[in-house]
Amino acid sequence: GQQLNQSPQSMFIQEGEDVSMNCTSSSIFNTWLWYKQDPGEGPVLLIALYKAGELTSNGRLTAQFGITRKDSFLNISASIPSDVGIYFCAGQAYSGAGSYQLTFGKGTKLSVIP
Amino acid sequence: NAGVTQTPKFQVLKTGQSMTLQCAQDMNHEYMSWYRQDPGMGLRLIHYSVGAGITDQGEVPNGYNVSRSTTEDFPLRLLSAAPSQTSVYFCASYNGAKNIQYFGAGTRLSVL
């Protein structure tokens, strides 16, 4: 099956620093999604990418859909304490019969030191 | 998490007990799915449904049953709970127009 490699697994950064995390896949995806999960909550969508090469921003967050369609990165600029959480990448591929399978990376746990 | 409601939020079961995790969405989405989240494993697909009356298996379906009698509801059943099913379970609903899945707040299940 499809696999996603997400890195790094965890990060400790100082408040104000920029953060970068990425995902790579052995398979091609039609859509790349980035989610954030706060403790005790479900994943919340941050950014959705639909086309190879697409670069999309959402406030201090920027994400790109790799040209090969097998990778994506997420950058967070000027981190703040509320950025703490687990960030997941997810690739979505049409698998026939009207289904859209979502494959998740294992997550990047971000800690921000004030 | 707006629009996807999961109940209960927490549950403790004894080995062998059965229970149903409820999931409802009010967005009229056809595609719904169930995931489990375990430490270091990310989210793994258990079962999914592309519409009322249609369900299929995901990556880790063993020990779980689903049904989809209405568009709104997609319950997940554990017929005989095992400690290996201790996990956090998330239901998701898919917006086809935006190609995005939205998640509920999760059900935290412990099987003793």
Side-chain angles (χ1 to χ4, degrees):
Chain A
Q2 296 167 329
Q3 293 185 344
L4 284 184
N5 296 311
Q6 184 172 352
S7 63
Q9 288 185 336
S10 63
M11 304 178 71
F12 287 84
I13 61 169
Q14 293 283 345
E15 182 177 355
E17 289 184 346
D18 297 343
V19 174
S20 184
M21 58 192 79
N22 68 85
C23 278
T24 59
S25 169
S26 57
S27 303
I28 290 172
F29 289 111
N30 299 322
T31 301
W32 279 95
L33 306 169
W34 284 92
Y35 288 87
K36 182 192 178 193
Q37 185 178 26
D38 292 322
E41 301 293 332
V44 175
L45 184 70
L46 297 174
I47 291 179
L49 302 161
Y50 301 104
K51 295 188 300 184
E54 179 180 354
L55 183 70
T56 297
S57 294
N58 179 8
R60 294 178 296 106
L61 278 61
T62 302
Q64 185 160 29
F65 193 143
I67 291 292
T68 65
R69 297 169 63 191
K70 293 183 177 181
D71 63 299
S72 178
F73 72 76
L74 174 71
N75 289 341
I76 305 173
S77 63
S79 60
I80 59 178
S82 62
D83 290 334
V84 166
I86 301 177
Y87 293 78
F88 290 98
C89 64
Q92 194 155 310
Y94 181 67
S95 58
S99 67
Y100 293 83
Q101 301 285 9
L102 198 64
T103 302
F104 280 85
K106 294 184 178 181
T108 295
K109 186 176 182 180
L110 179 63
S111 300
V112 179
I113 304 169
Chain B
N1 296 338
V4 181
T5 303
Q6 288 184 239
T7 56
K9 290 187 181 299
F10 302 94
Q11 184 70 50
V12 179
L13 294 177
K14 294 181 180 179
T15 297
Q17 285 185 315
S18 63
M19 81 158 295
T20 299
L21 281 63
Q22 302 291 344
C23 177
Q25 53 96 6
D26 59 3
M27 297 174 283
N28 201 33
H29 292 164
E30 293 293 329
Y31 184 86
M32 297 181 72
S33 51
W34 276 101
Y35 295 85
R36 61 177 288 172
Q37 184 179 31
D38 302 294
M41 298 295 292
L43 286 92
R44 293 181 292 170
L45 183 66
I46 304 172
H47 284 284
Y48 64 94
S49 169
V50 300
I54 306 170
T55 63
D56 207 344
Q57 297 181 348
E59 179 185 356
V60 288
N62 293 339
Y64 307 95
N65 284 342
V66 292
S67 60
R68 187 88 179 276
S69 57
T70 67
T71 299
E72 294 78 18
D73 300 298
F74 190 41
L76 178 72
R77 277 183 282 276
L78 285 71
L79 297 179
S80 179
S84 62
Q85 294 178 305
T86 294
S87 188
V88 182
Y89 292 85
F90 290 100
C91 177
S93 178
Y94 173 73
N95 182 327
K98 296 183 178 180
N99 209 22
I100 293 172
Q101 292 198 25
Y102 297 97
F103 288 83
T107 295
R108 283 141 191 85
L109 176 67
S110 294
V111 182
L112 307 178

